[in-house]
């Protein structure tokens, strides 16, 4: 190698650069993570270093994006499933011209920084999703691709406006997590061909080589799923990377896995290819060696790494993005002129899009909900049945998109129409198969697209399979809707494996998740009105398998349910004792209250369909429903009672179920577990006595 060639940073390892400046830009992108992590003593540099050439090609040659408008609807999406490599993403966002400075990168992993330790939606411009828990980004990318492909199929009319692609970068850890297997299997079955999953095949995990616990042939596994598999052999060859990624985005009827055989932390001679490269600083000497190998001064800083030549070549991506955006706008104008009905329909969806603050509720949607109200609220009926009528009504108006984990008939979310398939991407609903975890992650991807409110259904006992995805949806404030039926031991004969006990209480511990357990058909419809018109956030509907009685007529029920709790009935002033319940137990406490009232006790019955909404109601409303002066309180719910002690106080009582159920009829199991009128009345007498003597 001649001295002149060696003097160009990056030229010793980077191949296929179009100029010396591009070679230096890629070398700088490799060096930045090493320098940042060394300066802090913590962080993840290894993957960010190894994947820097690929990320450079992706952001500067392949992705359709506009750094000046991160929310441009026509953009491709990139999700970093291997979220620990956040410096990889932050570096490319900065170099591409997003509103992110080198100082922001230097501040990564510090309190209040715009560059948190793992990517977070809404914190860093250009970040499409919060990631970090492995496999979640991969699975949600599939949901995003499904939704974008449906949008294209329904609205594009071959005009090239709504045809965005989704790229995701996953590591060995992502592909070991079960959620990625579930999601990849479904993606193959549905032929999601606007998806490119890039697999960093570095064969290293924290404990050591992947072959400690991972011996499968990943390429053949994905082929068996129905994916196309491509290989990048030289992870430092920019032209090879570009060629393979360009082929990968071609629509072939299959999702594509691009396998990149990389070496973690390359070009570090001492720790590359080892588990030591996953996290932590390289060390002062080794960082200097990496810089020298790349052709930089060993004492280089971020500002000297990113010199004028680097900025000049990488900021060409800004002008490229503006040009791509302009041409897209021209196509969009033609699309609107040629297909005004499609444009109007899509615009209507955007007006009610759940990510708007707040979304609009169209007259058509209100009419659909009114129709459900007229037909379902006056006779005893299972709340799952009424909810199913709402799902069908809203889906017919194009507001919802989702499906069930192989339980649509039982959870009552079956709707007319055709399912999404490889040949029918515009389908009305998704058969998720027996994949509860992937379903929840895919719902997040649909929500990230933003055009439809996603829903998915299963039995409440199986919500535990979904917790990592629910948690991320809550972290991102996504408007995902989880439909859970068979809500208590009243499930009956299927026994304790299918009878939820701890699930409702557990779901209520997730910050930002609203858990809604309606007492009757009317509450179901009112709760949906509140959800559709409220700010973006995830909700879980918890619904009964068994019929529940219709409660007495209530005025202004929509407003009352929106506040989370309200007084259903009271005797006298209702100021001696308050009985509180959710779901099917509201009818139980109403019967109990009438018995208690026979001796003149002023009792009130409170339905609290959503604890979280009541917590956020204003104090005046909370006091009108549950005034401090009422110290005798009983809360009743057919599950663990942990949350209710906040509302009943030290002298109150909770009637709940703190042990697993049994196999038998629902009414028999409820009685065996103490969810009875006599148990409620007894608890009421106890708390009345306790408060009287206190």
């Amino acid at each position: 190698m001649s001295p002149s060639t060696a003097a160009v940073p990056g030229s010793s390892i980077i191949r296929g650069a179009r100029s010396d400046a591009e070679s230096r830009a890629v070398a700088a992108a490799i060096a930045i993570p090493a320098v940042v992590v060394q300066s802090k003593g913590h962080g993840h540099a290894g993957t960010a270093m190894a994947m820097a050439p690929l990320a450079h090609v992706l952001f500067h040659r392949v992705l359709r994006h506009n750094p000046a408008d991160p929310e441009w609807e026509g953009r491709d999406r990139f999700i970093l499933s291997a979220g620990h490599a956040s410096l990889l993403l932050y570096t490319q966002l900065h170099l591409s011209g997003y509103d992110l400075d080198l100082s922001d990168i230097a501040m990564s992993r510090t309190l209040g920084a715009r560059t948190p330790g793992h990517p977070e939606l809404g914190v860093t411009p250009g970040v499409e999703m919060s990631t970090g828990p492995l496999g979640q980004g991969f699975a949600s990318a599939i949901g995003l691709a499904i939704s974008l492909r449906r949008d294209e199929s329904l609205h594009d009319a071959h005009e090239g406006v709504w045809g965005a692609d989704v790229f995701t970068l996953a590591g060995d850890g992502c592909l070991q997590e079960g959620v990625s297997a579930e999601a990849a299997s479904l993606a193959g079955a549905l032929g999601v061909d606007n998806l490119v999953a890039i697999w960093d095949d570095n064969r290293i995990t924290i404990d050591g080589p992947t072959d400690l616990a991972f011996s499968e042939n990943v390429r053949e596994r994905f082929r068996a799923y129905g994916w196309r598999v491509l290989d990048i052999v030289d992870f430092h060859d920019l032209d090879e990377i570009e060629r393979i990624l360009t082929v990968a985005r071609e629509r072939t009827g299959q999702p594509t896995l691009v396998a990149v055989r990389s070496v973690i932390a390359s070009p570090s001679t001492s720790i590359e290819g080892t588990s030591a490269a996953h996290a932590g600083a390289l060390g002062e000497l080794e960082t200097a060696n990496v810089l020298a190998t790349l052709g930089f001064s060993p004492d280089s800083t971020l500002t000297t790494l990113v010199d004028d030549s680097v900025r000049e070549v990488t900021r060409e991506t800004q002008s490229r993005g503006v040009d791509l955006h302009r041409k897209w706008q021209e196509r969009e104008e033609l699309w609107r002129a040629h297909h005004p009905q499609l444009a109007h329909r899509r615009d209507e969806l955007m007006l009610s899009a759940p990510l708007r603050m707040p979304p609009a509720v169209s007259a058509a949607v209100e009419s659909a909900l009114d129709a459900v109200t007229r037909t379902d609220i006056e006779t005893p009926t299972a709340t799952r049945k009424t909810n199913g009528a709402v799902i069908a009504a809203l889906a017919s108006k194009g507001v919802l998109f989702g499906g069930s984990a192989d339980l649509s008939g039982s959870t009552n979310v079956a709707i007319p129409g055709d399912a999404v398939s490889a040949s029918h991407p515009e389908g009305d609903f998704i058969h998720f198969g027996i994949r509860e975890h992937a379903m929840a992650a895919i719902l997040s991807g649909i929500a990230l697209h933003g055009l439809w409110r996603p829903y998915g259904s299963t039995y409440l006992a199986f919500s535990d399979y979904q917790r990592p995805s629910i948690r991320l949806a809550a972290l991102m404030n996504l408007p995902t809707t989880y439909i859970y039926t068979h809500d208590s031991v009243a499930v009956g004969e299927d026994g304790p494996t299918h009878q939820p006990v701890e699930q409702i209480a557990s779901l209520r511990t997730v910050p930002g998740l609203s858990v809604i357990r309606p007492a009757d058909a009317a509450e179901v419809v009112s709760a949906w009105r509140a959800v559709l018109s409220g700010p973006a956030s995830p909700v879980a509907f918890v619904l009964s398998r068994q019929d529940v009685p219709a409660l007495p007529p209530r005025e202004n029920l929509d407003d009352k349910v929106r506040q989370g709790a309200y007084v259903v009935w009271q005797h006298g002033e209702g100021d001696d004792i308050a009985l509180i319940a959710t779901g099917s137990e509201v009818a139980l406490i109403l019967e109990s209250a009438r018995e208690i009232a026979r001796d003149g006790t002023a009792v009130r019955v409170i339905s609290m369909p959503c604890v979280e909404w009541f917590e956020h109601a204003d104090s005046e409303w909370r006091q009108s429903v549950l005034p401090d002066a009422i110290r005798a309180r009983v809360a009743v719910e057919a599950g663990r009672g942990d949350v209710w002690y906040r509302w009943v106080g030290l002298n109150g009582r909770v009637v709940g179920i703190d042990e697993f159920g049994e196999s038998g009829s629902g009414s028999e199991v409820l009685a065996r577990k103490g969810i009875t009128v006599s148990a409620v009345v007894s608890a009421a007498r106890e708390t009345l006595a306790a408060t009287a003597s206190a």
Side-chain angles (χ1 to χ4, degrees):
M1 184 178 296
S2 67
S4 61
T5 303
V8 177
S11 60
S12 63
I13 63 169
I14 302 301
R15 288 166 284 284
R18 294 172 177 171
S19 65
D20 290 348
E22 185 175 37
S23 178
R24 181 184 178 106
V26 178
I30 297 171
I32 287 171
V35 171
V36 171
V37 174
Q38 177 58 35
S39 69
K40 296 177 176 302
H42 54 82
H44 300 83
T47 298
M49 294 166 65
M51 286 289 101
L54 183 139
H56 171 89
V57 171
L58 188 63
F59 274 81
H60 300 282
R61 299 190 188 182
V62 176
L63 277 182
R64 292 185 288 252
H65 65 123
N66 181 7
D69 186 0
E71 303 300 319
W72 167 36
E73 277 199 279
R75 72 193 185 280
D76 291 330
R77 271 69 161 184
F78 171 70
I79 290 177
L80 181 64
S81 188
H84 58 276
S86 58
L87 285 171
L88 174 76
L89 178 55
Y90 299 151
T91 297
Q92 291 306 325
L93 291 174
H94 167 71
L95 294 175
S96 298
Y98 286 80
D99 180 23
L100 197 69
D101 296 331
L102 280 176
S103 60
D104 291 316
I105 295 176
M107 292 291 291
S108 67
R109 297 170 62 90
T110 59
L111 189 63
R114 302 172 72 210
T115 48
H118 292 80
E120 294 182 30
L121 181 68
V123 174
T124 314
V127 167
E128 300 282 2
M129 177 184 172
S130 299
T131 57
L134 296 179
Q136 293 295 325
F138 177 94
S140 292
I142 289 170
L144 178 55
I146 289 171
S147 193
L148 285 164
R149 192 176 65 141
R150 185 177 194 242
D151 187 7
E152 179 183 10
S153 190
L154 285 171
H155 303 124
D156 191 70
H158 307 290
E159 295 284 2
V161 178
W162 307 112
D165 294 323
V166 178
F167 293 80
T168 183
L169 176 59
D172 291 308
C174 290
L175 299 193
Q176 288 184 42
E177 290 286 358
V179 67
S180 65
E182 291 182 20
S185 175
L186 182 61
L190 299 183
V192 185
D193 60 357
N194 59 333
L195 172 72
V196 178
I198 302 163
W199 167 37
D200 177 18
D201 178 21
N202 65 33
R203 306 183 193 185
I204 288 295
T205 60
I206 294 174
D207 280 352
T210 54
D211 61 14
L212 291 173
F214 194 58
S215 59
E216 66 200 48
N217 187 321
V218 172
R219 291 164 177 79
E220 291 306 312
R221 170 159 69 98
F222 272 77
R223 289 189 179 101
Y225 288 148
W227 288 54
R228 176 177 59 156
V229 179
L230 305 174
D231 277 282
I232 292 174
V233 177
D234 186 346
F235 70 109
H236 284 145
D237 188 329
L238 307 186
D239 285 341
E240 180 187 355
I241 294 168
E242 181 182 16
R243 177 176 61 81
I244 296 299
L245 292 182
T246 301
V247 171
R249 76 183 308 160
E250 295 172 357
R251 303 292 179 88
T252 64
Q254 296 176 290
T256 298
L257 178 73
V258 175
V260 185
R261 184 68 179 95
S262 74
V263 179
I264 191 170
S266 174
S268 165
T269 56
S270 68
I271 67 169
E272 69 174 15
T274 71
S275 58
H278 173 78
L282 276 63
E284 186 175 344
L285 179 60
E286 187 57 22
T287 302
N289 287 338
V290 166
L291 290 168
T293 300
L294 290 169
F296 295 114
S297 169
D299 60 355
S300 294
T301 64
L302 297 186
T303 54
T304 59
L305 289 171
V306 184
D307 67 3
D308 290 342
S309 68
V310 170
R311 293 191 185 284
E312 183 177 354
V313 70
T314 57
R315 294 302 165 88
E316 290 174 4
T317 299
Q318 286 181 307
S319 57
R320 173 177 169 267
V322 169
D323 187 54
L324 286 169
H325 197 159
R326 177 184 55 79
K327 291 177 180 177
W328 178 86
Q329 287 177 319
E330 292 171 357
R331 292 195 303 274
E332 187 198 19
E333 289 172 5
L334 289 173
W335 169 74
R336 289 186 176 279
H338 295 162
H339 309 282
Q341 290 183 326
L342 288 179
H344 175 73
R345 185 171 72 178
R346 194 177 188 282
D347 289 345
E348 286 290 302
L349 287 175
M350 286 301 297
L351 285 174
S352 60
L355 287 179
R356 292 176 63 89
M357 295 287 285
V361 179
S362 69
V365 168
E366 286 288 2
S367 176
L369 291 174
D370 287 341
V372 175
T373 301
R374 287 193 297 272
T375 58
D376 266 319
I377 67 169
E378 296 181 356
T379 58
T381 186
T383 54
R384 65 168 172 164
K385 180 180 177 182
T386 306
N387 186 76
V390 173
I391 293 288
L394 295 178
S396 72
K397 304 304 178 185
V399 174
L400 302 182
F401 179 45
S404 169
D406 201 53
L407 291 169
S408 58
S410 189
T411 60
N412 282 81
V413 300
I415 61 173
D418 300 313
V420 172
S421 67
S423 60
H424 192 61
E426 68 271 27
D428 302 289
F429 55 88
I430 302 171
H431 285 306
F432 285 102
I434 303 91
R435 303 182 180 99
E436 292 90 352
H437 195 176
M439 176 173 70
I442 287 169
L443 296 184
S444 290
I446 297 170
L448 288 167
H449 177 206
L451 200 57
W452 296 287
R453 183 178 295 274
Y455 71 94
S457 71
T458 187
Y459 295 160
L460 178 60
F462 304 148
S463 62
D464 292 336
Y465 284 130
Q466 303 180 313
R467 284 300 291 270
S469 297
I470 293 172
R471 186 175 188 271
L472 268 187
L475 186 66
M476 292 185 279
N477 290 319
L478 296 182
T480 48
T481 303
Y482 311 102
I483 308 296
Y484 298 125
T485 68
H486 297 59
D487 67 344
S488 71
V489 297
V491 168
E493 289 82 358
D494 278 336
T497 60
H498 285 53
Q499 294 171 0
V501 172
E502 73 277 22
Q503 279 74 15
I504 298 175
S506 176
L507 288 168
R508 287 188 179 123
T509 66
V510 180
L513 175 67
S514 297
V515 180
I516 306 166
R517 190 168 182 243
D520 67 353
E523 279 195 7
V524 171
V525 179
S526 292
W528 268 105
R529 281 200 173 93
V531 167
L532 292 172
S533 60
S537 63
V539 297
F541 278 88
V542 177
L543 306 162
S544 72
R545 177 195 187 192
Q546 77 277 18
D547 289 345
V548 294
L551 298 179
R554 291 140 289 171
E555 295 182 355
N556 302 317
L557 184 60
D558 289 348
D559 292 336
K560 291 175 178 176
V561 169
R562 193 184 307 275
Q563 300 295 336
Y566 65 98
V567 178
V568 175
W569 177 88
Q570 67 182 36
H571 177 66
E573 296 298 317
D575 54 2
D576 289 337
I577 185 171
L579 305 184
I580 312 162
T582 73
S584 54
E585 287 76 72
V586 176
L588 177 72
I589 64 169
L590 183 58
E591 184 181 352
S592 305
R594 287 177 172 143
E595 181 171 329
I596 295 166
R598 288 174 187 161
D599 64 4
T601 300
V603 58
R604 68 174 58 192
V605 171
I606 297 170
S607 175
M608 193 179 291
C610 185
V611 172
E612 295 78 19
W613 292 351
F614 190 60
E615 288 174 343
H616 291 98
D618 63 56
S619 59
E620 183 178 354
W621 178 263
R622 291 199 305 271
Q623 284 298 311
S624 72
V625 174
L626 192 58
D628 293 339
I630 301 178
R631 298 169 59 203
R633 303 177 180 187
V634 177
V636 183
E637 190 166 58
R640 285 194 63 90
D642 307 64
V643 72
W644 295 110
Y645 289 98
R646 170 181 177 181
W647 302 104
V648 301
L650 294 176
N651 293 311
R653 298 293 185 271
V654 175
V655 177
I657 300 174
D658 292 333
E659 60 186 15
F660 293 121
E662 300 179 43
S663 183
S665 72
S667 58
E668 289 176 323
V669 179
L670 283 169
R672 172 86 50 102
K673 298 301 176 183
I675 307 299
T676 63
V677 170
S678 61
V680 175
V681 171
S682 176
R685 302 297 185 207
E686 290 177 9
T687 189
L688 283 166
T691 53
S693 62

